[in-house]
């Protein structure tokens, strides 16, 4: 059901790769709610071509940007300002990548070149996006910026590897930049900490199937789906949540505050 929550709003959505991507669902949902959007992803992801389908469906231009490149981000915001004739009202950062995870290097054996690259892509990129936007005055007054994160930033999930550190850094940037952008332009910045979700990035984590069913059993409401995450993002982009900023918001069916559940106890007693 649509409520026109984003009527007249304009936004940039980073990170839709394929139909499973959380950003893909957010793009569809934002447009359903009346928004106009631009889609962005790394040039290598654009070459896969899947994003064109979403671009057509959402009537959205696709502008490539590697989020580790200042020039690419300046180009993206320049084109966005031209396209919309001004700033945007919301930005979704839905980007994550760990080369240590990809190469199967356990946390204590991480390769620091890989660590640097993963940190740059997964966390520092939020700072880079915000710094570029602020310099170019590319986000409107009371704009809303969201980045997606995972509870491994607070608790240990061994196979999440160095992505845990990346997420902790990402959440901290949202808080710190939230202060400055809030003071300057009432722009609010939050992170949404989502349940494990079957996507390309998610499935790259070792033991993901066990992970996802454990979380399902440990959450009173069950795991939150990508579609439900999109609903939450839309509400955070809307004017109904104007005074929320610098927060890490758990969207996980209650997982983060559950000690144990009956289902897990029964499993242990088997
Ligand atoms: P996904 O694989 O569909 O999305 C990750 C995106 O990052 C891809 O579109 C990829 O092209 C993009 N990306 C990678 N390197 C880039 C670069 N240099 N420049 C620009 N874009 C780049 O997977 P998913 O799960 O939708 O991930 C979205 C976000 O949600 C990530 O931040 C992820 O950590 C987070 N998240 C995912 C969960 C899950 O279980 N799937 C749980 C909690 C958070």
């Amino acid at each position: 059901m649509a409520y026109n929550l984003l009527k007249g709003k304009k936004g940039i959505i980073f990170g839709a790769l394929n139909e499973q991507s959380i950003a893909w669902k957010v793009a569809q949902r934002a447009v359903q709610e009346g928004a106009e959007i631009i889609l962005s992803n790394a040039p290598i992801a654009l070459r896969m071509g899947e994003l064109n389908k979403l671009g057509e469906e959402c009537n959205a231009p696709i502008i490539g940007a590697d989020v580790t490149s200042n020039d690419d981000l300046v180009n993206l915001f320049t084109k966005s300002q031209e396209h919309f004739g001004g700033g945007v009202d919301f930005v979704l950062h839905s980007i994550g990548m760990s080369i240590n995870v990809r190469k199967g290097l356990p946390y204590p054996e991480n390769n620091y070149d890989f660590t640097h690259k993963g940190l740059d892509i997964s966390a520092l990129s939020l700072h880079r996006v915000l710094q570029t936007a602020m310099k170019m005055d590319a986000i409107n007054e009371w704009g809303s910026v969201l980045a997606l994160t995972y509870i491994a930033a607070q608790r240990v999930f061994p196979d999440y590897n160095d992505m845990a550190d990346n997420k902790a850094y990402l959440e901290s940037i949202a808080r710190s930049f939230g202060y400055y952008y809030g003071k300057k332009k009432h722009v609010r910045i939050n992170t949404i900490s989502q349940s494990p979700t079957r996507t390309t990035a998610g499935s790259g984590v070792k033991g993901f199937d066990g992970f996802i069913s454990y979380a399902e059993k440990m959450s009173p409401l069950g795991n939150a789906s990508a579609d439900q995450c999109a609903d939450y993002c839309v509400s955070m982009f809307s004017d109904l949540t104007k005074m929320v900023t610098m927060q890490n918001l758990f969207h996980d069916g209650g997982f983060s505050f559950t000690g144990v559940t009956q289902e897990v106890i029964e499993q242990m007693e088997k």
Side-chain angles (χ1 to χ4, degrees):
M1 196 153 108
Y3 308 88
N4 262 338
L5 284 177
L6 302 183
K7 193 165 191 286
K9 293 203 186 291
K10 297 160 177 45
I12 298 177
I13 295 192
F14 288 95
L17 181 66
N18 52 35
E19 283 184 44
Q20 281 73 48
S21 298
I22 299 170
W24 191 285
K25 314 280 186 195
V26 179
Q28 290 174 318
R29 197 71 187 84
V31 168
Q32 257 179 35
E33 289 296 332
E36 284 175 63
I37 58 166
I38 286 174
L39 297 165
S40 184
N41 209 326
I44 189 168
L46 298 192
R47 284 201 285 277
M48 289 167 57
E50 283 209 49
L51 195 54
N52 296 333
K53 212 166 44 177
L54 183 65
E56 275 167 33
E57 181 188 324
C58 295
N59 196 18
I62 300 170
I63 302 173
D66 177 337
V67 283
T68 63
S69 156
N70 282 357
D71 290 348
D72 281 11
L73 289 174
V74 168
N75 176 58
L76 167 65
F77 281 114
T78 304
K79 290 199 170 138
S80 150
Q81 282 172 321
E82 283 166 12
H83 175 72
F84 290 131
V88 292
D89 304 292
F90 63 90
V91 175
L92 177 73
H93 176 289
S94 184
I95 300 162
M97 216 271 292
S98 158
I99 308 176
N100 286 305
V101 168
R102 277 206 189 166
K103 304 256 183 197
L105 291 181
Y107 187 75
E109 293 162 34
N110 278 182
N111 168 306
Y112 301 127
D113 289 336
F114 298 166
T115 305
H116 275 294
K117 186 73 187 157
L119 183 74
D120 203 7
I121 293 174
S122 309
L124 202 53
S125 57
L126 178 62
H127 196 290
R128 212 182 284 278
V129 165
L130 291 167
Q131 186 182 86
T132 311
M134 194 184 241
K135 276 189 190 152
M136 296 177 68
D137 196 16
I139 303 179
N140 295 334
E141 193 76 26
W142 292 104
S144 174
V145 178
L146 284 177
L148 294 179
T149 186
Y150 184 58
I151 193 176
Q154 288 80 29
R155 312 255 160 98
V156 174
F157 292 81
D159 290 328
Y160 205 66
N161 211 317
D162 61 333
M163 274 307 285
D165 302 338
N166 295 340
K167 291 305 191 191
Y169 193 31
L170 178 80
E171 291 174 18
S172 181
I173 290 172
R175 259 189 313 275
S176 303
F177 224 117
Y179 171 83
Y180 290 99
Y181 228 148
K183 280 284 192 190
K184 190 165 176 138
K185 247 194 141 182
H186 300 114
V187 168
R188 50 218 177 79
I189 307 174
N190 296 285
T191 49
I192 291 184
S193 187
Q194 164 69 5
S195 294
T197 314
R198 267 182 230 287
T199 62
T200 306
S203 311
V205 177
K206 205 171 122 204
F208 190 72
D209 286 343
F211 214 56
I212 210 166
S213 54
Y214 172 70
E216 174 77 19
K217 284 193 169 53
M218 273 291 283
S219 311
L221 302 182
N223 285 333
S225 68
D227 283 313
Q228 288 164 329
C229 187
D231 285 344
Y232 194 26
C233 290
V234 161
S235 73
M236 288 301 299
F237 291 149
S238 82
D239 290 339
L240 299 179
T241 52
K242 263 184 150 170
M243 296 307 283
V244 184
T245 192
M246 301 157 71
Q247 303 296 314
N248 179 44
L249 305 162
F250 287 103
H251 183 254
D252 63 359
F255 177 87
S256 43
F257 280 79
T258 302
V260 77
T261 58
Q262 196 57 40
E263 286 90 330
V264 171
I265 290 174
E266 280 165 17
Q267 190 79 26
M268 296 308 291
E269 283 175 338
K270 272 184 193 161

